[in-house]
Amino acid sequence: TKGTGWWVYGVKVVGQHYYHFPDVDIEADSYVMADDCFIVERRNKTTLVIKLDANTLNTERVVRVELESGDYFDDVTIIQNASE
C-alpha cells in the first residue's frame, strides 16, 4: 500500500469471523495473525502478505482480510476454488 496508517482488524473465512488475537499489537509496524487455515502478516508499514492452506473442501472458500485506517474500512477478498 502507499499509506502506512492501516491495520488488519479481522479475518473472515467462510463466514467464521476471527478478530481477537491477544498476542498481536495491531499498532506495530509488523505482526502475524494465524488461525485455522490462514496466516496474515503485516510485514512492514506498506506490505501485507496472506497465505492460505490448500482448500480441501468440496466448495469454494471465501477469505476476507479486513483493513482499517481511522474511520476508513476496506478488505481484501480471496476466493479459493473447490478441491478437485
Side-chain angles (χ1 to χ4, degrees):
T1 68
K2 292 182 182 180
T4 60
W6 57 271
W7 57 91
V8 177
Y9 72 90
V11 180
K12 284 186 180 178
V13 180
V14 192
Q16 176 70 37
H17 197 196
Y18 301 88
Y19 60 90
H20 181 65
F21 297 87
D23 296 330
V24 174
D25 176 5
I26 62 172
E27 295 179 1
D29 289 346
S30 64
Y31 50 82
V32 175
M33 297 175 166
D35 206 318
D36 192 32
C37 63
F38 66 85
I39 299 172
V40 175
E41 177 185 2
R42 178 180 168 153
R43 192 161 285 172
N44 56 47
K45 291 182 177 185
T46 60
T47 305
L48 179 67
V49 177
I50 303 166
K51 297 178 184 178
L52 303 174
D53 292 345
N55 182 1
T56 58
L57 305 174
N58 290 327
T59 185
E60 70 181 19
R61 176 166 55 194
V62 179
V63 178
R64 186 174 144 190
V65 178
E66 301 166 321
L67 307 173
E68 182 177 351
S69 179
D71 63 353
Y72 180 79
F73 300 88
D74 207 346
D75 63 75
V76 176
T77 300
I78 300 164
I79 300 173
Q80 278 187 308
N81 290 333
S83 61
E84 296 183 6

